Amino acid sequence: MKPASLWLLRMLAYVPLMLLLAPNNLEAVRIRINPTTGEWVFSVAVNAVGQDRQTGQKEVISSLEFAGAPDNFAFFACGWFSYLALAFSAGAMRRGKWKPMLRGLALQTALNVVSLVAYVYINAHGAAINTPGNSSASLWLLKYSYHIVYLVVPFAGPFLIALCVHPEWRGYFTPQP
């Protein structure tokens, strides 16, 4: 299911990436796939001041292109399967319970796409400003955000959505009279 879920994530993220992160001077394209390596290639508008690593001069970076292996993005697609397992354990297949499951699946899809967009922006912006000797608070905040978006949200998100959408899950965490 990994290739299919990554394909779906890539297709769903096309519009948000185009509207929010695509550079104005370049054609908005889908997440390009490098045919030789299979990596996902992103063009991102960053508009940040960075340092040229060869000359050491500061310069404005308007856009940046970076690539990542598909396995780097699998964390964002695995939330669907975690959420569905939680929904099925709450009895989502019983009569009348499929609407909350679909609502939760829509929320999980939105979370996956927003997390991917945030990850792409954080990586591109971080690559632009992460230069030797830069220890600013904005760089620290960027690194902190990276860890939250990449290592917390994909794994905690399905549980929080299940708690919000399914009363059965809320019942496990509330005291019973």
Side-chain angles (χ1 to χ4, degrees), residues 1-109:
M1 296 300 290
K2 183 177 167 183
S5 61
L6 285 173
W7 176 86
L8 181 61
L9 178 65
R10 199 179 66 213
M11 293 299 120
L12 291 172
Y14 169 69
V15 172
L17 285 169
M18 178 186 67
L19 293 176
L20 299 174
L21 301 181
N24 292 334
N25 58 349
L26 298 175
E27 280 186 37
V29 295
R30 290 190 174 125
I31 302 167
R32 289 183 293 129
I33 304 294
N34 184 332
T36 57
T37 63
E39 293 180 322
W40 293 11
V41 181
F42 301 92
S43 294
V44 181
V46 290
N47 298 319
V49 176
Q51 184 178 4
D52 188 332
R53 297 186 198 276
Q54 295 174 350
T55 65
Q57 298 293 323
K58 292 200 180 263
E59 57 187 35
V60 175
I61 301 170
S62 60
S63 65
L64 188 85
E65 187 171 281
F66 78 94
D71 287 344
N72 293 350
F73 311 109
F75 288 147
F76 304 116
C78 75
W80 283 313
F81 302 105
S82 298
Y83 170 73
L84 286 173
L86 292 165
F88 290 147
S89 71
M93 295 307 287
R94 285 184 282 175
R95 186 176 187 97
K97 296 287 187 173
W98 58 272
K99 284 183 183 180
M101 183 192 71
L102 291 178
R103 190 172 344 133
L105 194 57
L107 287 170
Q108 183 61 50
T109 300

Side-chain angles (χ1 to χ4, degrees), residues 107-126:
L107 287 170
Q108 183 61 50
T109 300
L111 182 66
N112 291 350
V113 171
V114 167
S115 297
L116 176 65
V117 170
Y119 173 82
V120 168
Y121 178 75
I122 289 169
N123 269 344
H125 197 73

